[in-house]
Amino acid sequence: GPPEVGWGRAAGGLAWDAPDGEPGRLVLRVLSPAGLSAESHLERVAAFAQLVRQQRTRQRLLEGDEAAARAVFAASDAR
């Protein structure tokens, strides 16, 4: 089956050892089927990362906008 995707947000942020030193506020979970290659899994994660780099998308996710989350997931599926 297809990968299972979920996301969450931490208003106070999570210590994530990020390069910018800022706490992580968005968490993405991607669970891929056992038969999916590591390369395919990483491509999916990279697609999400690229979409979330967009300031407007990131802001909508931080605000808890479920429609934005569905749009991000749909867009990453199309890649």
Side-chain angles (χ1 to χ4, degrees):
E4 296 281 332
V5 179
W7 69 283
R9 55 196 170 103
L14 302 169
W16 210 262
D17 199 23
D20 64 4
E22 295 294 319
R25 294 182 294 153
L26 291 173
V27 178
L28 174 69
R29 172 191 56 85
V30 180
L31 299 175
S32 296
L36 190 69
S37 71
E39 182 178 344
S40 293
H41 174 79
L42 292 175
E43 286 172 359
R44 172 59 60 96
V45 172
F48 279 113
Q50 185 175 7
L51 291 166
V52 175
R53 288 182 58 106
Q54 298 170 10
Q55 178 62 33
R56 173 135 170 80
T57 300
R58 188 170 52 253
Q59 188 59 41
R60 289 178 66 195
L61 291 173
L62 286 168
E63 292 168 357
D65 186 333
E66 293 292 329
R70 285 190 300 275
V72 167
F73 298 152
S76 70
D77 283 341
R79 292 179 182 221

